[in-house]
Amino acid sequence: MSDEKMNAWLIYSDFESKRNKKYIEFYMEEGKKLDISIKLLIAEKIDIGVKDSKWFLSYKGEELLKPAFAICRMMYPMLTTHLENMGIRVYNNSFISDICNDKAKTYQFVAKTKVAIVDTTFCKKEFITDKLELIPFPSVIKSTDGHGGTEVFLLEKKEDIEVVLNSCHDKDVVIQPFVGKNHQDLRVYVIGNEIIAAVMRTAREGFKSNFCLGGEVSLYKLSSKEKDIIYKIINLFKENSTYGFGFVGIDFIIGDQGELLFNEIEDVVGSRMLYQCTDINVVKLYLEFIRKNLLEFKD
């Protein structure tokens, strides 16, 4: 298998493909070194559906030869599932994509591990007005499908509710008490069943520590106890899907006592922080993992 040449698809939205042009080129360069020819597909130009009672996919109106695998770099569980139905291996797989792109589903599922999670109430969009009238302050409201720190709101007083209603009136949300007075969180990069590195993020201002929103970052050495927590989550997903994680970021809030509180899992995880803090070539590691994984789980 290691000597075979492969074709692969790298799927991005049009907007993100322009924003991540260098990263995409890096994928293609690293792919060549492993005899993997990577073709960029823009999601808006993909048509999927059912034709003649069979699944179909076309790109710019034309059918494409099936690749050995696809890497989906956007939150699109329907597309991931469709590709798998057509016999195409996708990273991350549809189970990961479906669970991890919905915060409520993620909390609900990860609770099986008994790891510490911030107390969370799930709220359908139809109930949000009534629920927000009853919450204590301060509370944090997050849309279930938000990404990269977007649609996350800190409610400190009654007047803040209007901001949330204007932004999330058509969204399911989760409601949490505000925790983490130091405004820090930890991102743990995972490929397959292996922890690659952990990066601490600290908010410069406000309560969001996301790197893309200006948070400060530094490499973090995990303790044995912290690794045990992370492996509980990794093993849960491995046990409940054919081949577990591809490449994800598992995020934890740093609690007021310095403890890890599970926060979310990024399916379409960014690598900018990792490259800023380390010399780890995560694209190379990911493609090497995929090659090995295809062999281990060969159909």
Side-chain angles (χ1 to χ4, degrees):
M1 184 75 163
S2 59
D3 295 327
E4 292 180 17
K5 290 188 176 181
M6 300 183 178
N7 291 317
W9 294 344
L10 181 62
I11 303 171
Y12 270 88
S13 69
D14 186 44
F15 174 79
E16 290 296 333
S17 71
K18 292 167 182 170
R19 182 170 170 263
N20 291 279
K21 186 173 182 292
K22 293 293 184 182
Y23 193 52
I24 291 167
E25 291 171 354
F26 190 33
Y27 260 99
M28 293 176 175
E29 290 166 5
E30 291 300 318
K32 285 180 183 177
K33 297 174 186 177
L34 295 169
D35 287 328
I36 302 171
S37 176
I38 296 176
K39 178 181 177 63
L40 173 66
L41 267 60
I42 303 301
E44 289 90 336
K45 298 178 182 179
I46 298 173
D47 290 314
I48 59 173
V50 176
K51 186 176 182 180
D52 298 327
S53 301
K54 294 185 292 186
W55 301 293
F56 81 87
L57 178 147
S58 62
Y59 186 64
K60 298 180 181 179
E62 297 181 0
E63 290 189 17
L64 300 177
L65 292 175
K66 287 184 183 179
F69 66 90
I71 296 173
C72 189
R73 293 289 300 168
M74 63 178 301
M75 296 175 287
Y76 196 171
M78 173 65 75
L79 175 60
T80 302
T81 300
H82 195 81
L83 293 173
E84 289 177 345
N85 286 338
M86 295 181 68
I88 299 169
R89 187 73 62 82
V90 188
Y91 298 86
N92 290 308
N93 65 53
S94 59
F95 180 80
I96 304 300
S97 182
D98 180 58
I99 295 287
C100 297
N101 285 306
D102 185 313
K103 290 180 176 63
K105 286 184 179 180
T106 304
Y107 294 131
Q108 191 177 60
F109 186 64
V110 172
K112 292 181 179 183
T113 66
K114 308 300 183 185
V115 303
I117 304 173
V118 180
D119 292 344
T120 305
T121 299
F122 309 151
C123 179
K124 283 180 65 63
K125 58 188 176 185
E126 293 90 345
F127 309 150
I128 188 169
T129 301
D130 292 338
K131 292 289 185 186
L132 292 187
E133 289 295 330
L134 302 173
I135 65 169
F137 301 106
S139 288
V140 175
I141 313 298
K142 307 175 184 177
S143 66
T144 57
D145 62 352
H147 179 69
T150 62
E151 297 177 353
V152 177
F153 303 91
L154 176 62
L155 273 67
E156 299 180 284
K157 54 188 183 301
K158 202 85 169 174
E159 289 75 18
D160 295 335
I161 292 176
E162 193 66 29
V163 176
V164 177
L165 291 175
N166 289 338
S167 301
C168 295
H169 67 280
D170 61 344
K171 300 265 192 176
D172 293 344
V173 300
V174 295
I175 303 170
Q176 300 173 326
F178 176 65
V179 298
K181 60 187 178 185
N182 292 324
H183 308 306
Q184 290 182 313
D185 74 359
L186 186 72
R187 167 158 294 172
V188 181
Y189 290 90
V190 173
I191 293 178
N193 305 314
E194 182 181 353
I195 296 171
I196 303 303
V199 174
M200 181 72 78
R201 305 181 291 191
T202 304
R204 287 180 178 167
E205 56 183 50
F207 73 104
K208 299 181 189 178
S209 56
N210 304 70
F211 184 51
C212 62
L213 299 178
E216 297 177 352
V217 299
S218 59
L219 195 62
Y220 179 85
K221 183 175 175 59
L222 294 163
S223 68
S224 296
K225 183 178 178 181
E226 290 166 339
K227 287 181 181 178
D228 288 343
I229 292 169
I230 295 156
Y231 279 118
K232 284 181 181 179
I233 298 170
I234 291 172
N235 290 334
L236 175 69
F237 279 86
K238 180 184 175 184
E239 291 163 4
N240 284 273
S241 62
T242 306
Y243 49 95
F245 289 134
F247 177 34
V248 300
I250 304 179
D251 292 350
F252 297 86
I253 294 171
I254 307 301
D256 294 340
Q257 308 305 316
E259 74 278 23
L260 296 188
L261 300 172
F262 174 77
N263 188 29
E264 63 183 323
I265 300 174
E266 289 283 359
D267 166 30
V268 187
V269 63
S271 302
R272 291 179 178 86
M273 290 192 308
L274 192 60
Y275 284 119
Q276 173 150 328
C277 296
T278 76
D279 59 0
I280 295 170
N281 185 341
V282 73
V283 170
K284 177 176 180 287
L285 293 178
Y286 192 20
L287 292 175
E288 287 176 340
F289 160 78
I290 290 173
R291 258 199 176 278
K292 182 180 178 183
N293 187 259
L294 286 168
L295 179 60
E296 289 177 352
F297 293 92
K298 195 171 183 180
D299 295 331

